[in-house]
Amino acid sequence: MKVASIFKSLLLSLFSLVAFAAPASNQAPGRTWITDVSIISPESLDHVGQGSVLIENGRIVSVERNKSAKTPAGATVVSGKGQFLIPGLIDSHVHLANLPGIGFDRVEGKSEVIKAYYKQQPRSYLYYGYTTVVDLAVFDHQVLDDFRHAPLYPDLYDCGESLPFANGYPMSFLPPATRFKLFPNFIYDPKQASSIPFEYKPEDHSPAAAVARVKSSGGICVKTYFERGFGQDRNLPVMSPDVLAEIRKAATQAGLVLMMHANSFEAQQFGVDGGVDVLAHGMWHWGDLDKKTELPPEIRKLLDQIVEKKIGYQPTIQVLQGELAYFDPEYLKIEAIPRVIPKEMLEWFNSPEGKWFKKELTDDDTPDAVMLKAYDRGPLRRVRQVVAYLASKDANFLFGTDTPSSPTYGNLPGLNGYLEMQQLQQAGLSLAQIFRAATISNARKFKIDSQLGTIEPGKIANLVLLKKSPLESLDAYDSIVTVWVHGTPVSRDSLAVSSNK
Ligand SMILES: [Zn+2]
């Protein structure tokens, strides 16, 4: 090698070192020594002990599990005496552009409240310890861009624009004139050529082309759907196994995680047969077996396959609770609500017009108690039986909330995660299972575990300090003291709405 080229390569490697070490906007420079704290990290749950964690330039540098470790020079010391340090939580199923309680056809005249909601949203996730979120279906890039440019925000990954089957769920909810514009990454169906606008060419909407668009937009996952629909939208078109196989093949080649919206026995069977990586909902529709009070053997057989293949499973029980919120007179009184959404938004939820979605859930004046009971005996019972069975087999649960399962006001950012954890516990998950689902299991399935999911040297310093242990009680997740976002410490109180002026 000539001297000049040695010099050149030295310069290059120096340059890349500098570039690597320079703190990005979301990082705190300097060193912090969190000491005298119980370290709870999912890869070593059997030896939780007192120790210290050194963070520097937004990364975890060392983890000392003995009490006598010396304070590193120049470090800011944070005593965690009597407290618990966990990795930042990951919610792997959110929809950042969706507005809780509003719905896209009701945005007129609400621009100020919508602006305030989007501004608060990243803080509300952090308020409940979520330092990473995955948006499964992008359709408003501006909202995601703004989120990433907030002064403080959780790490955001996404699945790009989702892949609905032409005229199927969920594009079917929109009028034919707008559905193709809002879901431009749909999969073409030659059988429906007459109901697909002429400007969309089959070759641009093949599974390979759609997955390629997700990849080039920077997505880490692909989201598709199998849903025949309900109510007036029954018998929606769904993809064949051949189409799913093509999506599977393209996603594998692109290194993307394949996720499927599937909440029925039929849909989850379809997804498992097609080799998806993640089922994005719990199974609350059992089809012809809906009335069976015990878990039917044919469903158990499918759940065994889900366990054996380690398919990621997101129960999203709060999707159902989100609908029930309209029949629960206590819901809008939850004390934390004014801390996670703007005051004006809550006022509107409390107004008669703000309850418009309730009328879409019941077509008559059914008493609230009757609705609550119907859910409890129907879909909620079924999903709880499924989740209990999967928990008993230690399935690969992934923590995801589907916040907000639009257009309900029953799923609010951050808070909904805490409510979902309560649902999971009630359905039979242990505290350790919930903890792993929201940390290491999510990180591994989405292939971000080299950066996130545990408290280990080299990882991003996304950390949460709690007054209580999450292995002893669920309300630990509501006892947050400090959240570190890429090494920047933020007190929980400062993340609440009243502080966001
Ligand atoms: Zn969703």
Side-chain angles (χ1 to χ4, degrees), residues 93-95 136 223 261 280-281 402:
H93 190 158
V94 304
H95 299 283
L136 295 204
K223 163 91 175 284
H261 162 99
H281 290 293
D402 195 18

Side-chain angles (χ1 to χ4, degrees), residues 95-306:
H95 299 283
L96 297 179
N98 289 14
L99 295 162
I102 294 182
F104 287 105
D105 45 352
R106 281 183 171 76
V107 293
E108 240 181 76
K110 298 190 188 68
S111 63
E112 283 307 308
V113 72
I114 291 170
K115 218 170 101 189
Y117 171 78
Y118 284 143
K119 189 178 169 204
Q120 172 60 30
Q121 180 168 235
R123 308 166 65 88
S124 295
Y125 279 107
L126 294 172
Y127 183 83
Y128 277 96
Y130 296 95
T131 54
T132 303
V133 295
V134 185
D135 192 312
L136 295 204
V138 177
F139 49 87
D140 188 337
H141 289 277
Q142 190 60 50
V143 173
L144 274 71
D145 278 356
D146 291 348
F147 188 96
R148 289 185 173 109
H149 286 95
L152 276 171
Y153 58 97
D155 290 334
L156 166 59
Y157 296 90
D158 66 72
C159 301
E161 285 165 351
S162 67
L163 278 61
F165 195 57
N167 292 308
Y169 179 93
M171 63 192 293
S172 55
F173 292 119
L174 296 160
T178 52
R179 62 175 65 152
F180 293 92
K181 289 192 187 81
L182 258 159
F183 289 94
N185 216 17
F186 74 92
I187 301 293
Y188 201 90
D189 177 16
K191 288 191 197 121
Q192 299 183 62
S194 62
S195 45
I196 299 173
F198 179 72
E199 62 263 38
Y200 298 100
K201 303 292 174 214
E203 61 271 25
D204 296 334
H205 292 273
S206 65
V211 170
R213 272 191 291 270
V214 172
K215 180 71 179 173
S216 68
S217 76
I220 63 165
C221 41
V222 173
K223 163 91 175 284
T224 189
Y225 308 82
F226 189 96
E227 167 79 67
R228 292 192 193 273
F230 32 82
Q232 289 183 327
D233 294 300
R234 262 168 305 165
N235 307 318
L236 299 170
V238 291
M239 64 181 60
S240 66
D242 291 347
V243 171
L244 180 58
E246 283 183 55
I247 297 175
R248 174 69 274 180
K249 192 173 150 210
T252 303
Q253 283 171 354
L256 302 176
V257 180
L258 177 55
M259 315 200 51
M260 174 163 271
H261 162 99
N263 55 38
S264 68
F265 177 33
E266 181 198 15
Q268 297 203 348
Q269 184 77 64
F270 180 82
V272 170
D273 291 345
V276 301
D277 298 306
V278 180
L279 293 166
H281 290 293
M283 187 203 298
W284 48 75
H285 293 308
W286 293 0
D288 297 340
L289 303 168
D290 264 358
K291 294 272 186 295
K292 299 269 184 211
T293 53
E294 299 289 321
L295 198 59
E298 46 271 68
I299 292 182
R300 234 180 295 156
K301 200 173 142 207
L302 172 62
L303 299 179
D304 287 338
Q305 288 178 278
I306 290 170

Side-chain angles (χ1 to χ4, degrees), residues 13-23:
S13 63
L14 261 178
F15 180 76
S16 58
L17 259 178
V18 170
F20 189 74

